[in-house]
Amino acid sequence: DYALIFGNFGLPRLELVGAGIATSIINWLMFLVLLAIAVFAKPFRRYGILGRFWRPDWFQFRQIFRIGLPIAAMSMLEAGFFFSSIFIVGQFGAHAIAATMIALQMPHITFMVPMGLGQAATVRVGQAVGRRDVRGAYRSGWVALSIALAFMSVMTAIVLAIPQTFASIYLDSSHPDSSAVLALAASYLIYAAFFQAADGIQAVAAGALRGLSDTTWPMVIAAFSYWGIGLTSGLALAFWGGFEAAGLWMGFVLGLSSAAFLLTRRCRRATRALSPPRELPTAEKPFYIRQVQLDICRTAMIALPGMGRNLHLPQQGVHFLGGQPTSGTNAAMACHGRTHVFEPFLQGKPGT
């Protein structure tokens, strides 16, 4: 941005166009670097994510879209809530929209921490659910929520203490309109300080619910909270309540608070609804097989951890080629070009 906007380091001065070009370059670089890590770095390369990518797996596509489309819709609803409000603020003059853009910078910066915590909660809760660790899933979600609440509470206190200091960072004091914009931005930062905690909580709660593969109801909650409560109340307060742009900021507070409450409530109910696994006797402890990627007409060797039981593999296209595996032996399996995740089996029936 610095080089292409202002023409530094021998590059042309492109201003806003330069900002767009720089953003595109950075996004492409991030994609390529992350792709290289996923393909070549340990331990990810053993999954072979680009193996036979021209052969669609329609079942996996359905699963991805079933979980992913509501997540995308939820992100669009939240972004649309803020963008629509910014356009409406423009009805109240240049000072109001300038102050709004300045005041929104602080919550956008602090939001990066709970957003990261929400992604961590997705991974941790999902892993706990995968290994059927009910306590671990519950603990992972609520620890992330607690950290987000503590961090955003500290940020709220800091912004409330020195709002004008933050607003002045983005203003040129020599400009004749700076004092009017500064006063408005400082007043809007008070509202931003109050919705920061709610914003952080709703982000982490949504992340924890994604770890539970619960994405449809969070999308409904987002639509109701952001548009049904937040934007509707903001418009009412701005135009009919006489608060103008400040009314839309009140709508931010109400909408994000509603989302935080409802998503946290659903997260609490969803984690409590998880059923604990049945405890097996020691003699019936299941054995586990790692996920493997097998090519067409190739045979993979899967080591079995010292179990002398019959191995049952009901997945289509997978054939057990050995007899009864015993301690220290390998089981040979052939797979016709597919990736299979094998669940533990006991005496021909799924184990827990």
Side-chain angles (χ1 to χ4, degrees), residues 102-348:
I102 291 171
L104 281 174
Q105 298 307 308
M106 179 53 61
H108 282 170
I109 293 171
T110 57
F111 179 73
M112 295 299 103
V113 173
M115 184 178 72
L117 289 170
Q119 293 175 351
T122 299
V123 175
R124 297 288 295 171
V125 171
Q127 288 178 339
V129 171
R131 64 176 180 265
R132 300 180 182 180
D133 181 2
V134 177
R135 293 188 184 90
Y138 188 87
R139 184 169 56 250
S140 297
W142 287 102
V143 166
L145 280 168
S146 301
I147 295 172
L149 178 60
F151 174 79
M152 297 304 265
S153 297
V154 172
M155 292 297 102
T156 296
I158 293 174
V159 174
L160 287 175
I162 47 175
Q164 289 191 338
T165 302
F166 286 113
S168 64
I169 296 173
Y170 301 94
L171 289 170
D172 181 1
S173 59
S174 63
H175 196 279
D177 294 328
S178 62
S179 58
V181 174
L182 178 62
L184 279 175
S187 66
Y188 296 161
L189 274 169
I190 303 300
Y191 296 109
F194 280 111
F195 76 60
Q196 280 188 125
D199 200 13
I201 290 172
Q202 65 88 21
V204 176
L209 287 168
R210 289 166 191 167
L212 297 169
S213 298
D214 185 357
T215 58
T216 302
W217 272 106
M219 176 191 67
V220 175
I221 290 172
F224 171 75
S225 298
Y226 300 145
W227 291 81
I229 293 181
L231 190 60
T232 302
S233 63
L235 288 171
L237 291 167
F239 290 100
W240 294 291
F243 291 97
E244 297 188 349
L248 289 163
W249 280 89
M250 296 176 190
F252 290 160
V253 176
L254 294 173
L256 290 168
S257 298
S258 171
F261 171 75
L262 293 174
L263 287 171
T264 303
R265 184 170 179 268
R266 180 159 184 85
C267 184
R268 181 172 178 268
R269 293 181 63 183
T271 51
R272 286 193 169 187
L274 293 173
S275 57
R278 179 175 62 90
E279 184 64 29
L280 294 176
T282 304
E284 294 185 357
K285 292 293 184 183
F287 58 88
Y288 298 89
I289 305 174
R290 293 182 181 274
Q291 176 176 336
V292 291
Q293 173 74 46
L294 301 173
D295 296 328
I296 290 179
C297 300
R298 291 187 181 180
T299 300
M301 305 300 292
I302 308 299
L304 297 178
M307 294 294 178
R309 301 193 178 106
N310 288 321
L311 182 60
H312 299 271
L313 297 172
Q315 283 81 358
Q316 185 176 3
V318 181
H319 309 283
F320 178 59
L321 304 181
Q324 291 188 352
T326 57
S327 178
T329 64
N330 290 333
M333 295 184 297
C335 174
H336 302 298
R338 295 182 62 83
T339 301
H340 293 272
V341 181
F342 302 109
E343 298 290 338
F345 280 74
L346 293 175
Q347 299 177 355

Side-chain angles (χ1 to χ4, degrees), residues 76-95:
M76 290 179 61
L77 288 166
E78 184 174 8
F81 169 48
F82 280 97
F83 289 151
S84 300
S85 299
I86 291 169
F87 281 119
I88 296 167
V89 167
Q91 301 292 318
F92 303 107
H95 289 176

